Amino acid sequence: MKIMSVVGARPQFVKLGPIVRACEQHAELEHIIVHTGQHYDPLLSDVFFRDLGIPAPNAHLGVGSGSHGRQTGAMLAAMDGVLEEYQPDWVLAYGDTNSTAAAALAAVKQHIKLAHLEAGLRSFNRRMPEEHNRIVTDHVADLLLAPTQVAVDHLAAEGLAERTLLVGDVMTDVCLATRDAVRDDAVTLPAGVDPEAPFVLATIHRADNTDDPSRLREILDALKGAPVPVVLLAHPRLAALAKKHGVSLTAGSLVASEPLAYPQMVRAVMAAAGVVTDSGGLQKEAFLLETPTTTIRTETEWVETLEDGWNILDPGLTQLAEVMVRPRPEGAQAQPYGDGHAAEHAVQALVDRA
Ligand code: UD1
């Protein structure tokens, strides 16, 4: 039996790690990895393959950056050849990027069974490209592997209950295993930031926060005025836009750094007094690592993180100065993201339905 994983962007490499391990437990299974090339910078791609023990991709589509239509279209066209060559029993699409939607459409058009990992998440914000990608993928997929009960409920509301299976969240599998492995490691921070003193870790990369220069300036100004140092892990998209608009990423409390590799990222989140982000994955990782988070968005797909105030939404930046460093909520944390074996449940589901 052949499963083809199609990945292309940083969060998908993280999810692929535990799926690789789970596939290795099935001797009869051939796991084919296709990299679309959506992310190509070594810090966004190669380091994840290396640190998460992922074998080199069987095929690399080399698509690179572009407008949404061009990028998605180029992947869709390039997928035909690899599907014809490998003839998988299942295509596994991950999350909500342009690579996800392209893999999904390419598979169903060749009548190959499609499973969607991380199905059923919704922001209900139709401005987000990720929202289009997830809706399209869920509605064409044969098997919807949902990470949470909330996701299961969204799929049922859209008439997709029969194709849905709750498996848990694969990012939780890798996040918790990495936490245990890096606990005693040194924290990687830019020179001048003391890991023993309180600091905030920040990432900003969503189009709604970066593309309009006045919005970007407003967010960066709020971080520059923070009461503690803010380490900004700058995605190349942010670095490029800041340069274009003449906005500095290192000033006041703000210190820019390159993106971190996954183990160093987890270690830094564990050490941080707070996280400020607009990333979906990082909100949830910070929750799992018990670091209070402030999310610069109007909504979140991971609504469970909002319970007890672990995560606070502050799109208007009205509370940021007061809440970006705050005490951890008291009491035991809920565990809405599965038992740490989601990848095994997901792969077993595909094997059972070969
Ligand atoms: C993509 C996903 C987003 C995910 C994010 C994780 C979509 C629509 N968005 O956003 O859901 O949270 O990945 O990082 O698929 N760039 C580089 N080097 C790279 C890749 C990109 O410099 O290796 C720059 C280019 O200027 C490019 C821009 O980043 O135009 C945006 O890249 P793109 O892949 O379109 O989307 P992301 O913002 O990375």
Side-chain angles (χ1 to χ4, degrees), residues 8-12 37-42 44-45 64-68 71-72 75 96-100 128-130 133-134 205-207 210 235-238 240 278-281:
R10 178 170 57 177
Q12 295 168 326
Q38 178 171 352
H39 284 176
Y40 43 86
D41 279 353
L44 293 191
S45 177
S65 302
S67 64
H68 289 284
Q71 185 183 54
T72 312
M75 294 174 195
D96 56 19
T97 73
N98 291 342
S99 298
T100 315
M128 288 177 70
E130 293 82 4
N133 291 335
R134 327 177 163 107
H205 74 277
R206 295 249 168 231
T210 55
H235 185 292
R237 172 196 183 97
L238 171 66
D278 58 5
S279 152

Side-chain angles (χ1 to χ4, degrees), residues 4-7 34-36 59 61 63 72-86 88 91-92 98-107 110 112 114:
M4 176 183 281
S5 282
V6 185
V7 292
V34 177
H35 189 320
T36 62
L61 309 183
V63 163
T72 312
M75 294 174 195
L76 185 52
M79 277 300 298
D80 271 358
V82 286
L83 290 172
E84 281 154 14
E85 181 181 346
Y86 289 99
V91 165
L92 185 57
N98 291 342
S99 298
T100 315
L105 285 176
Q110 290 206 22
I112 295 170
L114 172 71

Side-chain angles (χ1 to χ4, degrees), residues 292-352:
T293 297
T294 310
T295 297
I296 312 300
R297 281 178 52 193
T298 48
E299 74 291 303
T300 176
E301 301 79 4
W302 302 104
V303 289
E304 302 83 2
T305 61
L306 300 174
E307 289 205 8
D308 301 324
W310 282 100
N311 185 14
I312 292 175
L313 301 178
D314 187 23
L317 309 167
T318 53
Q319 315 170 60
L320 187 63
E322 295 97 71
V323 302
M324 70 169 96
V325 177
R326 61 181 187 275
R328 292 191 166 95
E330 284 174 12
Q333 219 183 21
Q335 300 199 325
Y337 296 122
D339 59 5
H341 297 279
E344 289 154 47
H345 301 315
V347 170
Q348 188 63 50
L350 300 191
V351 169
D352 291 345

Side-chain angles (χ1 to χ4, degrees), residues 23-30:
C23 286
E24 284 166 358
Q25 293 172 19
H26 294 264
E28 77 286 8
L29 218 167
E30 190 183 344

Side-chain angles (χ1 to χ4, degrees), residues 52-256:
L52 298 171
I54 304 169
N58 299 75
H60 197 297
L61 309 183
V63 163
S65 302
S67 64
H68 289 284
R70 289 189 188 90
Q71 185 183 54
T72 312
M75 294 174 195
L76 185 52
M79 277 300 298
D80 271 358
V82 286
L83 290 172
E84 281 154 14
E85 181 181 346
Y86 289 99
Q87 309 247 338
D89 298 285
W90 278 102
V91 165
L92 185 57
Y94 295 63
D96 56 19
T97 73
N98 291 342
S99 298
T100 315
L105 285 176
V108 296
K109 284 181 184 299
Q110 290 206 22
H111 308 292
I112 295 170
K113 284 189 297 230
L114 172 71
H116 184 203
L117 192 70
E118 215 179 67
L121 294 184
R122 295 290 181 270
S123 65
F124 301 101
N125 176 354
R126 295 293 293 253
R127 281 188 51 85
M128 288 177 70
E130 293 82 4
E131 187 76 350
H132 320 148
N133 291 335
R134 327 177 163 107
I135 291 173
V136 165
T137 305
D138 281 340
H139 281 259
V140 296
D142 300 280
L143 180 60
L144 300 168
L145 300 165
T148 61
Q149 185 58 45
V150 171
V152 169
D153 296 344
H154 289 151
L155 293 167
E158 293 175 25
L160 301 172
E162 275 180 21
R163 290 185 253 156
T164 300
L165 188 67
L166 177 63
V167 292
D169 174 46
V170 291
M171 238 181 190
T172 297
D173 301 2
V174 65
C175 183
L176 298 183
T178 306
R179 173 197 64 188
D180 297 341
V182 302
R183 210 180 277 284
D184 299 326
D185 291 1
V187 184
T188 311
L189 293 181
V193 182
D194 178 3
E196 302 298 329
F199 70 92
V200 162
L201 201 68
T203 74
I204 296 292
H205 74 277
R206 295 249 168 231
D208 268 0
N209 284 334
T210 55
D211 291 8
D212 171 5
S214 63
R215 171 70 177 159
L216 178 60
R217 220 172 250 122
E218 190 190 9
I219 294 171
L220 295 174
D221 284 349
L223 296 175
K224 287 171 189 172
V228 299
V230 177
V231 176
L232 176 65
L233 304 175
H235 185 292
R237 172 196 183 97
L238 171 66
L241 285 164
K243 194 169 172 204
K244 180 173 158 201
H245 301 313
V247 188
S248 163
L249 295 180
T250 298
S253 302
L254 194 58
V255 190

